[in-house]
Amino acid sequence: TEESDEPFSLVPFDGIFGLSLPQMSEGARFNVLDCMIRDRTLKHNLFSFFFGAADDEASEVTFGEWRESRMASKLFWVPVSNPGYWQVEMDDITIKNKKQGLCKDKHCQVAVDTGTSLMAGPTDIVNALVDRLHVATDCSNFDTLPVLGFQLSNHILNLRAEEYVDRGEDGCSLALMTLDIPPPKGPLFIFGDPFLRKYYTVYDRENLKVGFALAKHPGVNSTT
């Protein structure tokens, strides 16, 4: 096995443990999850992810089951819409739980990606959210910013301002970068770490669906 110097010489980890569906694999036998399923090592043909919300809270991946102790709400399921990524349909985006009509007459597509440290979406929709949310660059309205939600299968998954705004010494900005993925894979949203810290996710290989629940962090309950 050979490994390139970049980026691995610059980071503390030794590699990337890919868990996408086989359509994204380099070869038929080059998919870790499918190899586990083939060898019948799993209790159920799925895996789940919990992301720690702080440095002192451990993250974990669980193969073969999900953990109720990591969930602060009931799990609901959304079918995979286009196998390859763990990709699902999003009905719309909401502000203060009100639909914004940004997905128009067709559903938006979302890749739930545990390997991405950010959130991203098509330029036109991200720009529309910038205009509608009015995040002040000097952070003057940070405490009054509304919840930003993503509607999946009639469930709205909300993020609070501290979860969707980058706040630092240089000021505040929407933590949703523009990313224009061309067809047939795109246009596509990416739900990375900021979303996955808030929501526990389960990836069902056998039934091709993704489960979502509020992640159970210290101080979090089903109304948080």
Side-chain angles (χ1 to χ4, degrees), residues 38-161:
R38 179 198 65 204
D39 295 340
R40 299 181 179 181
T41 60
L42 302 178
K43 183 177 180 180
H44 302 286
N45 295 331
L46 53 81
F47 64 95
S48 55
F49 259 94
F50 174 86
F51 276 70
D55 291 340
D56 59 352
E57 185 179 23
S59 301
E60 70 178 28
V61 56
T62 304
F63 290 97
E65 59 185 352
W66 64 81
R67 298 184 60 189
E68 298 281 350
S69 62
R70 292 298 196 184
M71 297 158 49
S73 69
K74 291 184 178 180
L75 199 66
F76 73 91
W77 297 95
V78 184
V80 170
S81 57
N82 186 13
Y85 297 113
W86 287 97
Q87 182 175 324
V88 298
E89 289 186 347
M90 177 167 62
D91 302 328
D92 204 351
I93 298 173
T94 64
I95 296 175
K96 289 185 179 179
N97 294 318
K98 294 182 180 179
K99 293 182 180 181
Q100 298 300 300
L102 293 173
C103 292
K104 300 178 181 177
D105 57 354
K106 63 179 180 179
H107 297 288
C108 294
Q109 296 291 317
V110 178
V112 188
D113 189 356
T114 60
T116 300
S117 61
L118 46 81
M119 294 182 65
T123 298
D124 58 338
I125 298 181
V126 172
N127 288 343
L129 289 173
V130 169
D131 292 340
R132 298 180 192 191
L133 289 167
H134 303 294
V135 178
T137 56
D138 62 359
C139 303
S140 58
N141 66 344
F142 181 83
D143 292 333
T144 59
L145 288 171
V147 291
L148 173 65
F150 304 94
Q151 184 175 331
L152 306 175
S153 188
N154 295 318
H155 295 260
I156 297 176
L157 302 180
N158 279 319
L159 298 179
R160 295 170 298 184

Side-chain angles (χ1 to χ4, degrees), residues 85 179-188:
Y85 297 113
L179 179 66
D180 292 310
I181 299 174
K185 289 294 185 183
L188 192 65

